Amino acid sequence: HAARGTARVIRTPRGRVLTLTGFEVDNGPDLRVYIVAGPARDESEVDDFKDLGALKGNKGDQQYEITRGLDLDRYSTVVIWCRAFSVNFARAPLR
């Protein structure tokens, strides 16, 4: 699926937040935002992940709270995951 944008973690007074900027991805059913351990090059590599919630929209800048204590050295790839069909719609390394 076609996708573009940048994934970054920023620190705020309330904690860490994943930001997706200049973001656009194909629309699909039940899309979720995951942070995955490893590169997540294909669906078989999306097994150790943290679910940040439902994708807020398939276009536009977005933010998602990151659970306190989540090790971003381990969980270093953002994935837009179609839970309905177990398909990786898009992925990006965190910056």
Side-chain angles (χ1 to χ4, degrees):
H1 293 272
R4 67 184 178 100
T6 302
R8 287 191 177 99
V9 173
I10 61 171
R11 294 188 187 282
T12 70
R14 296 176 52 199
R16 297 175 300 175
V17 176
L18 168 67
T19 62
L20 303 178
T21 55
F23 177 71
E24 187 172 336
V25 68
D26 289 343
N27 205 0
D30 199 14
L31 296 181
R32 309 292 294 181
V33 178
Y34 288 176
I35 294 185
V36 179
R41 290 177 292 252
D42 62 39
E43 286 79 6
S44 70
E45 293 184 346
V46 181
D47 57 353
D48 184 0
F49 63 89
K50 301 298 180 187
D51 187 341
L52 300 184
L55 185 68
K56 294 176 181 176
N58 68 315
K59 294 180 183 177
D61 297 348
Q62 302 174 33
Q63 293 187 329
Y64 300 86
E65 290 185 34
I66 296 176
T67 307
R68 292 191 191 281
L70 184 69
D71 181 359
L72 293 178
D73 288 330
R74 177 182 171 132
Y75 295 92
S76 58
T77 305
V78 175
V79 169
I80 306 303
W81 184 259
C82 175
R83 193 165 57 180
F85 294 102
S86 298
V87 174
N88 185 345
F89 262 50
R91 71 180 180 92
L94 285 175
R95 291 189 183 174

